[in-house]
Amino acid sequence: MKRIINIAGIVVVAGVLITLFIFVRLYNKPHTDVHSSRPIHQVTGKSIVDEFKNNEDKANDTYLDKVVEVEGTVKNIDTANGNGIITLGPDGYMESIICNMEPTENRKMLSLKKGQKIKIKGICTGFLMDVILIRGIIVK
Amino acid sequence: MRLKLILLLFIVCFGSSLSAQEKYLTKQGYISFYSHTSVEDIKAENNQVLSIVDISTGGVAITILMKSFVFEKALMQEHFNENYVESDRFPKASFSGKIMNLEEIISGDNTIARIKGKLTIHGITKPVEIESKMIVEESEVTLQGKFKIYVADYNIKIPRIVRNNIAEEVEVSFNLKHQPYK
């Protein structure tokens, strides 16, 4: 009888521990690691801007929250609130792709020049006057 | 002759507005919100706020992407986007309003702007009145302040199980530094 109670006790404690472990794991689930994730879409700056301009709802469905790799020409390099920002622009467009960079990219950003062609990987959050990427990483 | 007249009219009408700087814009404005309860504090930041101020009319227009809010915990961000503000259905929040005491601000008599307008979150629009510190300079127009919103006003449903974790009233802070818009 005692033995059964002991076993039942162990099972309950183990159950609680496992639940707690899963809960903590879930609660502390990491953010998408842009460094290691493969881009779901690879596009040129021009094509992604065109897609958002032509049909924003459709482009939202395609790109929102996805890791996107954009190839484009550096139009501007800036910082705001301590974050690096690279603006990629298709030539002759008012719209551009504003990439908010990860702090790990600060060093690489120093050697960038306007007019240079680069590839940036980041998470697309949508379109205001420009396409916006966050957690940006310089790929090439 | 007629063409020249039209051209002249055009220049008179629009020429003056081109010379003086009226519109100021930022694409890198900062907005954060903060929810405090005894169980946990939740903070999210957005550094990609689009805001335009017209210092001739006092008009203010702000648009933000809900997905641009970054949380400390990925799980919070997921719940926020998927369950609370449903950012796939409502990807943007916006504010459009007017500075009611613009003359006082321009003349330097007052640095606190009263802005009346409409705030749209989660597809629901409510009238709001916000007080904001406002500094107008040739090269920069700054709006900075905070206000509170009731989550329930915007039909954002918080499940009972996490009701103790999320405040009913959320504090929104903003810091928008606008540059002349060419």
Side-chain angles (χ1 to χ4, degrees), chain B residues 137-173:
Chain B
E137 285 165 354
E138 186 91 21
S139 61
E140 194 169 87
V141 173
T142 307
L143 286 174
Q144 190 193 356
K146 48 183 146 183
F147 61 98
K148 286 187 170 158
I149 55 171
Y150 282 97
V151 173
D153 279 354
Y154 296 91
N155 201 16
I156 296 166
K157 292 184 187 84
I158 310 291
R160 187 158 291 162
I161 189 165
V162 290
R163 194 154 289 168
N164 293 328
N165 300 46
I166 299 166
E168 288 172 12
E169 201 182 41
V170 172
E171 187 179 84
V172 180
S173 307

Side-chain angles (χ1 to χ4, degrees), chain B residues 3-54:
Chain B
L3 196 72
K4 268 189 182 168
L5 196 73
I6 292 170
L7 202 68
L8 191 73
L9 251 165
F10 190 82
I11 291 167
V12 169
C13 290
F14 296 97
S16 60
S17 68
L18 286 176
S19 59
Q21 189 59 53
E22 290 167 345
K23 282 195 176 131
Y24 286 77
L25 167 137
T26 179
K27 293 176 177 179
Q28 266 94 44
Y30 171 87
I31 287 184
S32 67
F33 68 80
Y34 178 70
S35 148
H36 169 79
T37 62
S38 52
V39 181
E40 67 182 342
D41 290 340
I42 299 170
K43 193 180 179 189
E45 295 180 315
N46 185 330
N47 278 300
Q48 289 91 41
V49 177
L50 173 68
S51 171
I52 302 171
V53 182
D54 187 328

Side-chain angles (χ1 to χ4, degrees), chain A residues 27 29 56 81 100 125, chain B residues 40 47-48 68 71 78 92:
Chain A
Y27 182 73
K29 192 177 85 162
E56 196 177 329
N81 315 315
N100 280 65
T125 63
Chain B
E40 67 182 342
N47 278 300
Q48 289 91 41
S68 279
F71 292 68
E78 209 175 285
K92 291 173 189 174

